[in-house]
Amino acid sequence: MTAAERATRTREADALCARAFDDAGCPDSGVALVAVGGYGRQELSPYSDLDVVLVLDDGVEPGAWAAGLWYPLWDSGVEIDHAVRTLAEVLERSGADLRVALGMLDARHLAGDPNLTLRLRTAVLAAWRRDARLRLPELRRLGEARAGRLGELADAAVPDLKESVGGLRDGTVLKALVASWLVDVPHADLERCRQGLLDVRDVVHSVAGRSTDRVTPEYWPEVADLLGLADATAAQRHTRALARRLTHISRLTWRRTDAVLRRPRTSGARRPQLQPVAPGVAVAHEEVVLDRGTAPSSDPLLLLRAAAEAAERDLVLAPATAARLARETPPLPDPWPAGAREIFVRLLASGPGLLPVWETLEETGAVDAVLPEWSRVRLLPHASVVHRFTVDRHLVETCIEAAALIRRVARPDVLVVAALLHDIGKGGRTEHSAAGEPIARLVARRIGFDDREVDLVAGLVRRHLLLPEVATTRDPDDPATLALVTTQVRDREELDLLAALTEADARATSEKAWSPWRAELVTGLVRRCGAALQELPPPDPAPASVVVPDTVRSGAEHLVVEVEPRPAGSLVRVFGRDRVGLLADAAATLALQRVSVRAARAWTQEVGGRDVGVSEWTVEDADLDAAVLRQRLEAIAAGRVDPADRLRRPGPTRLEPIVVVRPEASARATVLEVRAADRPGLIHTVCRALAGLGISVRSAHVSTLGPQAVDVFYVQEHAAGALTDRRAAAAAHAVRGALAESVAPR
């Protein structure tokens, strides 16, 4: 089935309509027969209806010929959807009913007065363009309603080629958006997808022997044969690829339409205003693009950075930018540097903003540059009907679900990478968990995880079905049930990761896969296994020691900053007379300089009978001036600069911060564990809140894992020991409140 055959069907239908018009004795002036909808677009499938309207000029009364026109069409056996309207009635109905307006945008002359058809088309298009800003929001709502009913063609088990998201209806809507003159689309891609889906629909009509847009599973083998494809899976992948591309074009066009509708009307073209948001990356008209003067060939992290910024900000990653970066960005080394892995984790943990960005990476070929293993599962249908998405889409959805659970785990970076890879073994003959483990191990090692982290990722992929299988098929009170889990899961950290992955996987599968009953069974099993895996508290960290500068030893200088170059960044050391608030000031200094902190630790060191506060900061910035940092630190310490307002970030975070007291973690200090969205000034906010209570930070262990900071603070009463339970609770409350306040809207 080809466009040529559709053209032949259209010519035959046109001839039939013109002959009926002439035989009925319709007037040649003031009356026109027009095709609308799919017939107007010349897209007739074997069993399509003919949508036609007999249009009368204002003042023309219909005679017997208006009724006689339809009899020969009915007698021919063709299904017709017909109406008789005056020109004024057509325009009125188009203005009142959006569906009628869409059909009339494709009006095509069949017989009668061509001037009347021309006036009709001109008036319909003029009204559409005039009222577009008012009508497009309604058109958007209609599309969202269709999506809620039918889902996405690329992922549905029984797709609707016309009404599903990414189907032929969306192709028609895109043409209407272009007709509004507000936005444009990539026409070649749009037409390729539309014509491809029309070919599939023609074949489905032939297989079914009737008019239908739904492709049931038993149709796929014959569809494949008629399309000249290898098998049913190839036919599904072909169809779903067309739909996914059309879905991407549609989402991108609607995002751009929404941006246009939000902007005030202007006369003339507006030059995009670039707002730099990261090295080499800027935002223009709500899309992430390259900043001026950026050379992709000089920065191997640029593709990942642009994608992460777009996903975290829930903005469009401009397809032209993604395609250029995929072509020109140098390949990442094997293994990746730590900075690349951190950006990749930020992308995966960005939440709902991940999906449109990942689609752009897919459609521009950029995913293959980052994760070549993705081709194994691209557009792969799930064997189980319980899944609502194809395998690749399910993996992305699992990442989105996992992003909401990262506060529960100590290693969110491991969680989201395992979420992306947990079904990567599907599509072969080997059980997919077993097949996926070596692939996950290879990917985890390449992106820069160490041996233990590689084992964690691979183990999660291998055992991602363990908890639901055991919870739903074994007696929870039988000791052997716990043994099934605890003999395979090494420690509580891995159990927590497996529990979060299980929930994310189930939620991404379908609502039924994470029912309250199933959730309760899994949660109960995890609770019992956690008690069995309870470990002894870790020992207090060994005290650190470095050479303190002579000027600090002698008391000649109160504050000293040293910068030591390191691969892919620097190590910053801050020395000063030990006091409550010193660490907060050091953290503020780096935050105000927009220095990106990857890790930090702090301690008190006795030198010559006096206590010296020391902190070390591993940062991404390679070009730092110690003198500038010291000058800023002294201004903050002296109270000349208050960093609080400058570090306030507008808008709430997606996940609330978690602050927990760990009484079992140390015998000499009170341990506060803080998990919060990584951002400038986070460490300063925590330390300042503690200093406000007169609590001293004796040791700090800070790490950034993708989008989440996991910071552990060993705190004491100044010149004393661990906090009382009451003081510990007050400290946790103060830190939690400070973090919440620091991200509240102004």
Side-chain angles (χ1 to χ4, degrees):
M1 303 294 177
T2 65
E5 291 173 293
R6 286 191 291 278
T8 298
R9 284 192 290 271
T10 299
R11 285 194 299 272
E12 292 172 351
D14 288 357
L16 178 65
C17 289
R19 189 162 53 250
F21 186 92
D22 292 340
D23 291 347
C26 297
D28 293 332
S29 177
V31 178
L33 184 63
V34 298
V36 298
Y39 182 25
R41 294 188 298 274
Q42 306 182 64
E43 294 172 357
L44 293 178
S45 292
Y47 292 92
S48 290
D49 295 347
L50 301 185
D51 293 332
V52 293
V53 179
L54 185 64
V55 182
L56 312 179
D57 208 349
D58 296 334
V60 174
E61 295 293 332
W65 43 266
L69 167 64
W70 312 118
Y71 290 106
L73 297 179
W74 290 328
D75 292 342
S76 71
V78 174
E79 294 289 333
I80 63 171
D81 186 353
H82 66 286
V84 180
R85 300 276 188 269
T86 66
L87 177 60
E89 288 173 338
V90 170
L91 297 178
E92 180 182 359
R93 288 179 63 85
S94 294
D97 190 326
L98 194 55
R99 294 177 179 85
V100 173
L102 292 178
M104 296 308 300
L105 286 174
D106 295 308
R108 182 171 59 85
H109 184 72
L110 293 175
D113 187 347
N115 182 59
L116 179 59
T117 303
L118 178 61
R119 287 162 51 206
L120 169 68
R121 284 182 50 82
T122 301
V124 166
L125 281 169
W128 179 251
R129 288 163 183 156
R130 182 190 66 231
D131 300 333
R133 288 178 175 269
L134 298 175
R135 308 204 72 177
L136 292 186
E138 181 187 355
L139 184 57
R140 175 83 138 141
R141 289 191 293 272
L142 288 176
E144 291 170 347
R146 280 192 294 110
R149 293 194 310 270
L150 298 167
E152 297 188 20
L153 197 163
D155 298 299
V158 182
D160 187 306
L161 295 171
K162 183 176 183 180
E163 301 293 346
S164 292
V165 174
L168 292 167
R169 178 74 70 191
D170 277 345
T172 302
V173 169
L174 285 169
K175 290 169 70 70
L177 290 176
V178 172
S180 73
W181 287 356
L182 293 178
V183 291
D184 201 358
V185 299
H187 294 276
D189 271 0
L190 172 59
E191 282 308 301
R192 177 182 64 82
C193 294
R194 288 182 62 258
Q195 295 303 319
L197 288 176
L198 287 168
D199 290 347
V200 175
R201 187 173 70 172
D202 288 357
V203 166
V204 170
H205 277 207
S206 297
V207 171
R210 59 186 176 86
S211 175
T212 180
D213 295 310
R214 294 174 66 81
V215 190
T216 55
E218 64 270 17
Y219 289 171
W220 287 115
E222 288 186 74
V223 169
D225 185 57
L226 291 174
L227 288 175
L229 299 172
D231 53 28
T233 299
Q236 287 199 56
R237 278 183 149 160
H238 168 74
T239 304
R240 296 180 192 281
L242 293 169
R244 183 166 290 176
R245 179 60 179 153
L246 190 55
T247 299
H248 180 253
I249 295 172
S250 178
R251 283 186 176 139
L252 175 65
T253 304
W254 272 116
R255 291 288 292 265
R256 289 174 169 171
T257 301
D258 292 343
V260 169
L261 294 178
R262 281 192 291 270
R263 292 199 296 268
R265 295 175 184 265
T266 58
S267 58
R270 292 181 59 194
R271 183 177 181 180
Q273 297 295 314
L274 289 179
Q275 175 192 356
V277 293
V281 179
V283 173
H285 286 171
E286 302 184 28
E287 297 191 17
V288 170
V289 297
L290 292 182
D291 202 357
R292 289 191 181 91
T294 299
S297 59
S298 64
D299 187 352
L301 306 189
L302 195 52
L303 172 60
L304 290 176
R305 190 181 303 117
E309 290 292 335
E312 289 181 332
R313 297 168 184 271
D314 196 17
L315 296 176
V316 170
L317 174 61
T321 296
R324 182 183 174 190
L325 290 173
R327 293 191 308 269
E328 300 181 20
T329 301
L332 287 162
D334 188 354
W336 291 5
R341 184 177 73 250
E342 290 169 4
I343 297 171
F344 187 53
V345 169
R346 281 175 46 209
L347 169 65
L348 299 184
S350 57
L354 171 64
L355 178 60
V357 171
W358 193 270
E359 286 180 346
T360 297
L361 295 176
E362 277 265 55
E363 295 300 325
T364 57
V367 165
D368 293 331
V370 175
L371 189 65
E373 293 80 4
W374 195 251
S375 61
R376 294 177 51 92
V377 295
R378 182 175 288 121
L379 294 165
L380 180 66
H382 265 108
S384 171
V385 295
V386 72
H387 278 273
R388 55 181 171 170
F389 298 118
T390 52
V391 175
D392 56 343
R393 172 69 180 275
H394 170 73
L395 294 177
V396 176
E397 292 287 342
T398 304
C399 284
I400 294 171
E401 296 290 347
L405 306 176
I406 61 175
R407 293 291 188 272
R408 298 186 190 177
V409 299
R411 293 303 305 265
D413 52 343
V414 170
L415 173 62
V416 294
V417 171
L420 184 72
L421 300 175
H422 74 277
D423 278 348
I424 199 70
K426 286 194 171 180
R429 297 182 178 180
T430 307
E431 196 279 323
H432 78 276
S433 297
E437 179 183 2
I439 301 171
R441 188 176 296 278
L442 177 70
V443 173
R445 182 169 287 111
R446 184 173 71 242
I447 68 176
F449 280 130
D450 63 26
D451 289 344
R452 181 180 181 279
E453 294 161 343
V454 168
D455 288 342
L456 262 179
V457 172
L460 290 171
V461 171
R462 180 68 179 88
R463 290 183 283 277
H464 72 271
L465 298 177
L466 175 64
L467 294 180
E469 287 180 352
V470 172
T472 58
T473 62
R474 299 301 181 108
D475 180 358
D477 297 320
D478 188 340
T481 300
L482 293 184
L484 277 174
V485 177
T486 56
T487 55
Q488 299 184 62
V489 178
R490 291 171 296 184
D491 52 33
R492 184 58 190 261
E493 179 183 68
E494 186 173 359
L495 177 65
D496 289 344
L497 286 165
L498 189 59
L501 177 59
T502 298
E503 180 175 343
D505 182 18
R507 289 185 181 277
T509 298
S510 67
E511 292 183 4
K512 294 180 180 179
W514 194 247
S515 64
W517 168 78
R518 186 179 293 267
E520 183 178 354
L521 289 178
V522 171
T523 301
L525 175 63
V526 170
R527 184 170 54 250
R528 289 188 292 273
C529 291
L533 289 170
Q534 192 65 46
E535 301 170 340
L536 294 174
D540 284 354
S545 179
V546 295
V547 176
V548 176
D550 291 339
T551 54
V552 178
R553 287 172 176 268
S554 64
E557 291 184 301
H558 294 297
L559 294 170
V560 170
V561 177
E562 296 178 346
V563 176
E564 180 182 318
R566 292 288 179 88
S570 305
L571 179 69
V572 178
R573 287 195 185 96
V574 177
F575 302 89
R577 178 179 57 81
D578 188 38
R579 60 177 173 82
V580 172
L582 175 61
L583 187 62
D585 291 347
T589 298
L590 296 174
L592 290 178
Q593 293 295 115
R594 299 302 181 203
V595 174
S596 180
V597 177
R598 290 207 300 261
R601 58 179 185 150
W603 66 94
T604 300
Q605 190 168 321
E606 184 178 350
V607 180
R610 71 175 66 198
D611 287 339
V612 175
V614 185
S615 58
E616 289 187 338
W617 309 79
T618 302
V619 303
E620 293 183 4
D621 304 65
D623 299 318
L624 293 176
D625 188 325
V628 172
L629 293 177
R630 176 182 171 177
Q631 184 180 24
R632 178 61 63 88
L633 176 59
E634 288 176 337
I636 293 172
R640 297 193 301 273
V641 172
D642 183 357
D645 285 339
R646 300 190 189 186
L647 295 178
R648 184 185 294 269
R649 187 178 69 177
T653 58
R654 187 167 45 86
L655 298 176
E656 293 298 319
I658 292 177
V659 183
V660 180
V661 180
R662 300 291 187 192
E664 78 286 355
S666 174
R668 299 193 302 271
T670 298
V671 176
L672 294 182
E673 181 180 280
V674 178
R675 299 183 187 182
D678 183 42
R679 58 181 177 79
L682 175 64
I683 304 169
H684 164 74
T685 300
V686 174
C687 293
R688 189 181 191 193
L690 294 171
L693 295 177
I695 294 173
S696 177
V697 178
R698 311 307 296 175
S699 178
H701 305 268
V702 177
S703 59
T704 302
L705 302 171
Q708 175 166 271
V710 181
D711 302 345
V712 178
F713 299 87
Y714 286 72
V715 301
Q716 296 177 331
E717 300 290 2
H718 190 54
L723 309 183
T724 64
D725 290 346
R726 184 173 181 178
R727 285 279 282 170
H733 179 73
V735 170
R736 195 178 299 112
L739 289 173
E741 180 184 357
S742 68
V743 297
R746 289 181 185 269

